[in-house]
């Protein structure tokens, strides 16, 4: 008995349409992700000194770390420092001078939360910055204060600043206790019209200003993410959750199309 005829032109057209739709969806997801600002630095410190993935933008160097071994090391939870002296541990990244339109997310734990412990250093010669102060967060130089962090507790903290209008600055913690992550704002928005919270040529974390003693002598940094724009709303909820890369979605779409093509060819044998 002869095989039934197959409209190969129609089948190939349908396959091409499915592939095109998959590509469109993948690109749409990628554009939706990019609309919230470009992720210019994505540092998973649980992967060790090689940092995986590497920085994502030209002009933003890989992070540098001080102090060096033996007072710091990479372990399974991130970059850990212990028993360091003034001005404390230093993680730094090169940024454009006057870097003031950003979102910075940090995942870390501290071995000391009493007193002042600097988390973000904006300028190496003054006290402005984000601190842990007796178990809560304080953006010194603004009225922003609140939230909580326990000893050796891993937390996600995100700070945003805009160069538009009144140059609003906001600080958030990310709560993972519910079914989905939720960003909770600490205090009220601070309008930084005098440019207090902008960086020079370095964004520095976990150290105090030169000669300063307001630092945590031990801690672990697990994740640092830097965007070139302030995130808002639901963007902040997922800011510290890895995003599906567009190229990965395209690969999935392509693999699906190839699988369909393979199955169709088998049926034609």
């Amino acid at each position: 008995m002869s095989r039934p005829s197959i409209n190969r032109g129609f089948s190939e057209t349908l396959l091409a349409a499915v592939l095109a739709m998959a590509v469109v969806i993948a690109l749409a997801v990628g554009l939706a992700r990019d609309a919230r600002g470009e992720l210019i630095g994505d540092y998973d410190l649980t992967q060790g000194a090689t940092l995986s993935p590497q920085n994502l933008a030209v002009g933003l160097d890989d992070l540098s770390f001080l102090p060096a071994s033996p007072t710091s090391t990479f372990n399974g939870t991130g970059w850990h420092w212990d028993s360091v002296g003034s001005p404390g541990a230093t993680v730094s990244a090169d940024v454009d001078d006057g870097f003031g339109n950003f979102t910075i997310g940090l995942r870390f734990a501290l071995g000391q939360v009493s007193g002042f412990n600097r988390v973000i250093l904006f300028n190496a010669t003054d006290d402005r910055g984000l601190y842990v102060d007796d178990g809560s967060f304080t953006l010194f130089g603004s009225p922003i204060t609140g939230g909580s962090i326990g000893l050796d507790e891993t937390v996600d903290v995100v700070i945003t600043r805009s160069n538009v209008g009144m140059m609003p600055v906001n600080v958030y913690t990310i709560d993972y206790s519910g079914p989905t992550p939720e960003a909770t704002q600490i205090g009220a928005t601070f309008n930084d019209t005098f440019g207090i919270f902008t960086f020079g040529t370095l964004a520095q974390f976990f150290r105090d200003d030169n000669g300063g003693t307001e630092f945590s002598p031990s801690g672990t940094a697990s994740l640092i993410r830097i965007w070139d724009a302030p995130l808002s709303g639901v963007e902040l909820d997922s800011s510290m959750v890895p995003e599906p890369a567009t190229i990965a979605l395209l690969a999935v779409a392509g693999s699906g199309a190839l699988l369909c093509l393979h199955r169709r060819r088998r049926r034609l044998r």
Side-chain angles (χ1 to χ4, degrees):
M1 184 174 68
S2 61
R3 293 181 179 179
S5 61
I6 297 176
N7 188 338
R8 295 188 179 184
F10 174 77
S11 297
E12 291 173 357
T13 300
L14 179 60
L15 181 62
V18 171
L19 175 59
M21 182 61 70
V23 170
V24 168
I25 293 172
L27 288 174
V29 172
L31 290 174
R33 179 198 64 202
D34 294 339
R36 69 184 198 177
E38 184 180 1
L39 182 62
I40 61 173
D42 192 2
Y43 306 98
D44 180 359
L45 305 185
T46 65
Q47 301 299 310
T50 56
L51 301 180
S52 178
Q54 294 290 329
N55 56 286
L56 305 180
V58 175
L60 180 63
D61 290 346
D62 291 338
L63 297 187
S64 58
F65 304 89
L66 290 173
S69 181
T71 53
S72 65
T73 184
F74 286 91
N75 57 32
T77 56
W79 182 65
H80 178 75
W81 65 93
D82 189 39
S83 302
V84 299
S86 179
T90 303
V91 184
S92 63
D94 288 349
V95 293
D96 293 334
D97 191 16
F99 187 56
N101 198 58
F102 58 76
T103 297
I104 297 174
L106 304 173
R107 178 172 296 157
F108 64 94
L110 298 181
Q112 173 180 290
V113 295
S114 60
F116 274 87
N117 304 269
R118 179 106 65 162
V119 175
I120 298 179
L121 174 68
F122 287 90
N123 187 297
T125 60
D126 64 32
D127 288 334
R128 60 180 144 160
L130 181 66
Y131 294 81
V132 168
D133 175 22
D134 286 336
S136 64
F137 297 96
T138 295
L139 185 63
F140 191 82
S142 83
I144 295 176
T145 185
S148 64
I149 176 175
L151 188 67
D152 295 321
E153 177 189 5
T154 299
V155 296
D156 284 2
V157 176
V158 180
I159 181 169
T160 69
R161 185 187 186 277
S162 173
N163 269 340
V164 177
M166 299 294 287
M167 303 179 184
V169 176
N170 294 288
V171 180
Y172 306 85
T173 56
I174 310 296
D175 181 9
Y176 294 97
S177 61
T180 58
E182 182 176 356
T184 301
Q185 185 172 347
I186 296 175
T189 299
F190 173 70
N191 292 319
D192 186 22
T193 53
F194 293 102
I196 297 173
F197 300 110
T198 59
F199 294 94
T201 57
L202 287 177
Q204 298 187 82
F205 313 103
F206 310 112
R207 63 155 289 182
D208 201 13
D209 53 281
N210 294 333
T213 59
E214 294 171 336
F215 63 91
S216 181
S218 64
T220 303
S222 302
L223 179 66
I224 298 177
R225 310 190 91 192
I226 304 174
W227 291 259
D228 65 354
L231 307 187
S232 60
V234 295
E235 300 170 344
L236 286 158
D237 293 341
S238 60
S239 58
M240 299 298 282
V241 178
E243 304 165 357
T246 302
I247 189 169
L249 292 173
L250 288 172
V252 170
S255 298
L258 289 173
L259 178 59
C260 290
L261 182 60
H262 175 68
R263 293 180 65 182
R264 186 176 72 85
R265 285 176 173 171
R266 290 189 61 185
R267 287 196 302 268
L268 294 176
R269 290 175 182 173

